[in-house]
Amino acid sequence: MTMSAKVDPDPSRAPLPVEGESAGDPDGRWRRGATYASVTVAAILIAGKFGAYLATNSVSILSSLIDSSVDALASVVTLISVARALKPPDFAFRFGHGKAEPLAALIQSAFIVGSALFLCYESLGRLFEPRPVGDIGIGLWVMAAAIALTFVLVLFQRWVIRRTASLAIGADSLHYSGDMLLNAAVIVSLLLGRWTGQAFWDPLFGLGIAAFLAWGAVGISRTALDVLMDRELPDDERTRVVDLVNAHPASRGLHDLRTRSTGMGQHIEFHLELDSHLTLTQAHDITDEIESSLRAAFPNAEITIHQEPAGLDDERLDHRLRPRHR
């Protein structure tokens, strides 16, 4: 006979974080703050770069303007997705709404690819039909200010990511981290054009920036798809789960371990093997202790444990999956 239970946390301990919550951001305040900050910064950058493009006619500045416009759209999507992901579980979505974040990240990657293609088209046109770049003074000042403002935003976003492990904000932060490199490249292209008198530097840097944006989009989409497709956690994290379970003196092993990321936390599920002579209360207490140690290592995880007598010969998920790894 097997015992199966979703183990309830001890009332004396902190509650288990659920979808949309985090040990470092229980009410979502920092997530929301990061999304508001990114939308505000994107609006400021668009206004400044648009003025700089009109003054310089530089395709490099145009590329940066396009990227900031995409960032603004992506930031709005992030804001909406974070608000959705922070909603608590309900009757229709009992696992919560956390996958709104990786879905938003996937949408962001589509925006980025579109802007990269447009930028590539514009840069190729300028490469074969060079156009003179106007007064670069305004452009240099705007791009320098953009780097400084973006740097402050990225620092704040990374601080929020460390507290919340938000995938959508992580994707947004990647955009703006790339912006700093992009803005620096724009400055270099403008200076090279002035020093050498050659117009081809501007579209060449535009092509390089387009390639950089497309490469970043690939990384974002891979991460988002991994979460949406319920890819297992990395091997080192799965090993950590196994080690913590086996470290308990009453544990006789585990099997059928399944894990996945939600973009805001993790789900950990496994069958715990215990001595068959234990009472239900004893088995529950042991399982509760193991769950506590796992929660300390994975504070944003929801943990489901199925208890079984050790040595039970039954059908297992591990047996069905094993041939695939040969």
Side-chain angles (χ1 to χ4, degrees), residues 133-145:
V133 176
D135 182 14
I136 68 171
I138 294 177
L140 292 175
W141 278 108
V142 169
M143 301 315 295

Side-chain angles (χ1 to χ4, degrees), residues 66-67 70-71 73-74 105-121 175 206-207 209-222:
I66 293 172
D67 184 58
V70 172
D71 282 345
L73 289 174
L106 200 61
I107 294 173
Q108 289 177 19
S109 68
F111 286 160
I112 296 172
V113 169
S115 66
L117 291 174
F118 176 78
L119 179 55
C120 185
Y121 172 80
H175 293 169
L207 287 172
I209 292 167
F212 175 82
L213 291 175
W215 179 257
V218 170
I220 292 172
S221 60
R222 282 179 177 173

